[in-house]
Amino acid sequence: MTTSDVAQDAKKAPLKDPWELPDVSGLVVGVLGGTGDQGRGLAYRLAKAGQQVIIGSRAAERAQAAAGELGLGIEGADNAECARRSDIVIVAVPWDGHAKTLEALREELAGKLVVDCVNPLGFDKQGAYALKPEEGSAAEQAAALLPDSRVTAAFHHLSAVLLQDPEIEAIDTDVMVLGEKRADTDVVQALAGRIPGMRGVFAGRLRNAHQVESLVANLISVNRRYKAHAGLRVTDV
Ligand SMILES: NC(=O)c1ccc[n+]([C@@H]2O[C@H](COP(=O)([O-])OP(=O)(O)OC[C@H]3O[C@@H](n4cnc5c(N)ncnc54)[C@H](OP(=O)(O)O)[C@@H]3O)[C@@H](O)[C@H]2O)c1
């Protein structure tokens, strides 16, 4: 190494530790479609970890009923109010209603950190299979429909059964987090890490969300074969 190499190295900013994540404990988390299994499960786990959570629904009273059942200070509102009042908004509606839901909330979601966990899947006699959205993935569809939001994708591989089971203290799984801006994916990784047993791992940009969403079809096959609620671990990180 020459002295000029050394001088150049010294000028470079020190690499940031990828596990150094922001404190997200003060952020309000909204869950669109939070009355469903996945939304309820995430709301329950995040609220249990101390996060302020608002469940969203197409009908405010359904959200309030779900919130009342879960307790833990969770509130319920219609999807628009949920989006307006939250800092981070998790999209947990079925693929069928994905585009329509987001189109209608473009204004409320402007400036918000959106976390899409939607898996576009089809089902037939042979089991689950991945659909190929026109935009590439559900997450890319969200990004196209919400140009003023910070869209990320995460929480695809979780079992709603495990999330909702109060007997289970820790959920043993990694959460792949995708997005365009490191500051945003760091926040989502930190949010995943609030749930005991869970770790958020950066897994690339939204153009690679399709594989992550599709992998759920494989996990469903695993679950059927082994009567399990399989999760995923990324090794060597
Ligand atoms: N279940 C899992 O284990 C799991 C795991 C990872 C990811 N996910 C993903 O999370 C999403 C939700 O899954 P889920 O099992 O919770 O689904 P779900 O129970 O079928 O739906 C969630 C909620 O979405 C609302 N909804 C239903 N149809 C809608 C439509 N056409 N437009 C807008 N909202 C609609 C309903 O709430 P209101 O009637 O109260 O509005 C419903 O309670 C899916 O995209 C799935 O791929 C699920």
Side-chain angles (χ1 to χ4, degrees):
M1 197 183 244
T2 66
T3 46
S4 78
D5 288 339
V6 173
Q8 281 218 321
D9 268 5
K11 267 194 239 159
K12 279 187 202 155
L15 283 179
K16 188 179 161 278
D17 176 354
W19 297 115
E20 208 178 282
L21 299 171
D23 175 9
V24 296
S25 58
L27 300 179
V28 178
V29 181
V31 189
L32 305 178
T35 54
D37 284 339
Q38 168 79 343
R40 270 176 195 257
L42 281 171
Y44 171 66
R45 288 291 157 180
L46 290 169
K48 203 167 174 223
Q51 212 75 36
Q52 193 190 328
V53 178
I54 306 173
I55 279 182
S57 164
R58 289 168 295 180
E61 55 279 14
R62 275 205 295 278
Q64 284 151 4
E69 284 165 26
L70 290 172
L72 300 167
I74 298 172
E75 294 175 70
D78 63 41
N79 281 332
E81 190 187 335
C82 166
R84 236 185 333 264
R85 288 180 53 203
S86 303
D87 303 302
I88 304 176
V89 183
I90 299 174
V91 185
V93 298
W95 168 240
D96 278 356
H98 185 254
K100 205 169 148 216
T101 302
L102 297 183
E103 258 164 13
L105 296 175
R106 186 175 297 189
E107 231 169 81
E108 289 82 357
L109 290 170
K112 308 282 177 170
L113 179 51
V114 172
V115 189
D116 206 292
C117 72
V118 171
N119 303 309
L121 296 178
F123 292 87
D124 62 17
K125 273 195 229 143
Q126 294 176 313
Y129 59 94
L131 301 175
K132 179 93 189 178
E134 207 180 299
E135 297 82 355
S137 61
E140 286 165 289
Q141 182 182 79
L145 292 170
L146 304 172
D148 302 322
S149 305
R150 295 138 59 208
V151 176
T152 62
F155 300 122
H156 307 88
H157 305 140
L158 304 180
S159 155
V161 174
L162 298 185
L163 288 175
Q164 291 185 89
D165 186 342
E167 301 291 314
I168 294 172
E169 276 306 314
I171 310 277
D172 178 22
T173 195
D174 282 341
V175 171
M176 287 185 170
V177 179
L178 298 95
E180 301 305 317
K181 298 246 164 67
R182 202 53 59 81
D184 295 337
T185 52
D186 278 359
V187 168
V188 181
Q189 283 179 257
L191 188 66
R194 299 268 288 154
I195 299 175
M198 236 181 246
R199 183 178 67 153
V201 178
F202 174 74
R205 290 177 182 266
L206 295 185
R207 67 180 183 177
N208 282 316
H210 174 65
Q211 301 87 281
V212 172
E213 294 170 4
S214 303
L215 195 57
V216 174
N218 304 81
L219 287 178
I220 290 172
S221 303
V222 171
N223 289 342
R224 287 189 176 173
R225 179 96 169 125
Y226 299 101
K227 312 251 176 296
H229 302 292
L232 285 179
R233 281 289 185 204
V234 181
T235 57
D236 203 34
V237 289

